[in-house]
Amino acid sequence: MSASLLDRIVVVLDHPKDVVNIAAVMRAMMNMGLSTLRLVRPEEFDPYRIEGIAHRSGPLIESTTIVDTLAEAVEDCVFVVGTTARARTANRNYVRPRPLAAEMLERAAEGPVALVFGREDRGLTNEGLDLCHRVAIIPTHAEYSSLNLAQAFLVLAYELHLAAVEGGEALPEGRRADRPATLGELEGMYEALQNGLGRIDFFKGTRRADAVVRTLRTVLSRADLDRRESKLIQAIGFEIGNYMDRHQVQADRRPVPGPEGRDHDGSSA
């Protein structure tokens, strides 16, 4: 898929009542790369209030189209998707958001595709649903299934964005990310860990060195360590040994009490 197909997704709000919901939808549109909004006779459309809620939405507000009927809003679209909270008595082509998103983008290659939401209190009318090729139902908990307009829109918009960029947008890496550790670097890490643990008498009783290190290999291999990470863990092993060396030097420097309560240097204990 291509993110450019998102430019052909037309978001339609049919008779929205609350300007706050319009603003929330606009904000989610900007989050998910959608840029075309059409409103069917909104009860209120206040650009000043909208931009106060959805910051930097000025260009989207200016490009928003307001029309009189839902049929007018979708007349140029090759594929129309409606939304509902539950199945109606009428037979519809009901689908879930995830497979629907892929189908919408495929159809967007042919022309504009509409994603339609009804009024906050009633949803789309049956006449509105008659204009739709598919009807999306978002799965929710049976005992509390209601989503507000912005929530429902964000779920569908997220699925569209995910389908559009899947495989093409890598997850961010940490600023200090490095190449994968080589086998030699990993072996040096395990050796330093084993030596360091040995210095603090970790291997005693049932803790055999070979068994413990083998478990550490199993755990750390799942992490796919990079070079920097392996060096950090290796340094932990080295520092255990260095700490023990410093501790031993300090112990050697302490005066040893001699006979009759005097130290070897002749001072009182």
Side-chain angles (χ1 to χ4, degrees), residues 19-153:
V19 70
V20 173
N21 287 328
I22 296 174
V25 167
M26 285 190 175
R27 179 167 183 165
M29 288 178 66
M30 293 187 294
N31 289 145
M32 298 301 161
L34 300 169
S35 57
T36 304
L37 176 64
R38 297 174 186 174
L39 305 178
V40 180
R41 301 189 67 178
E43 289 193 10
E44 181 183 6
F45 186 76
D46 184 341
Y48 180 79
R49 285 191 65 196
I50 291 172
E51 191 157 17
I53 299 168
H55 302 297
R56 297 186 296 175
S57 60
L60 182 54
I61 292 171
E62 292 178 4
S63 66
T64 296
T65 303
I66 297 177
V67 297
D68 288 327
T69 67
L70 180 57
E72 182 182 354
V74 300
E75 64 182 356
D76 63 332
C77 297
V78 299
F79 192 63
V80 179
V81 174
T83 54
T84 185
R86 63 193 181 282
R88 312 284 183 97
T89 54
N91 188 29
R92 308 282 184 191
N93 295 315
Y94 296 113
V95 288
R96 294 298 192 198
R98 184 150 297 177
L100 175 63
E103 183 179 12
M104 290 177 67
L105 292 175
E106 289 175 3
R107 298 300 300 269
E110 304 167 358
V113 169
L115 177 59
V116 184
F117 294 82
R119 278 176 53 136
E120 293 93 325
D121 56 347
R122 297 200 300 263
L124 287 171
T125 64
N126 281 323
E127 291 74 20
L129 290 171
D130 288 341
L131 300 175
C132 300
H133 298 90
R134 304 283 187 274
V135 178
I137 297 180
I138 298 170
T140 54
H141 194 281
E143 294 181 6
Y144 203 86
S145 60
S146 179
L147 296 173
N148 67 34
L149 174 58
Q151 289 174 323
F153 172 74

Side-chain angles (χ1 to χ4, degrees), residues 108-241:
E110 304 167 358
V113 169
L115 177 59
V116 184
F117 294 82
R119 278 176 53 136
E120 293 93 325
D121 56 347
R122 297 200 300 263
L124 287 171
T125 64
N126 281 323
E127 291 74 20
L129 290 171
D130 288 341
L131 300 175
C132 300
H133 298 90
R134 304 283 187 274
V135 178
I137 297 180
I138 298 170
T140 54
H141 194 281
E143 294 181 6
Y144 203 86
S145 60
S146 179
L147 296 173
N148 67 34
L149 174 58
Q151 289 174 323
F153 172 74
L154 183 56
V155 171
L156 270 297
Y158 166 76
E159 292 294 345
L160 281 166
H161 182 77
L162 184 66
V165 303
E166 191 169 16
E169 190 172 286
L171 288 171
E173 294 184 342
R175 291 173 56 191
R176 299 175 67 86
D178 205 346
R179 61 164 175 77
T182 65
L183 182 60
E185 289 164 343
L186 291 175
E187 289 303 308
M189 176 189 73
Y190 293 126
E191 181 180 0
L193 277 178
Q194 182 170 346
N195 291 339
L197 292 173
R199 292 292 305 277
I200 60 173
D201 294 329
F202 187 83
F203 306 120
K204 56 187 176 182
T206 59
R207 292 180 188 160
R208 296 189 355 258
D210 58 341
V212 170
V213 174
R214 187 169 295 118
T215 299
L216 289 174
R217 286 178 180 273
T218 301
V219 173
L220 294 174
S221 65
R222 288 198 294 265
D224 290 329
L225 300 174
D226 65 23
R227 182 188 65 88
R228 193 181 302 274
E229 292 164 340
S230 70
K231 292 298 183 185
L232 175 62
I233 297 173
Q234 184 181 45
I236 292 172
F238 288 148
E239 192 56 37
I240 293 173

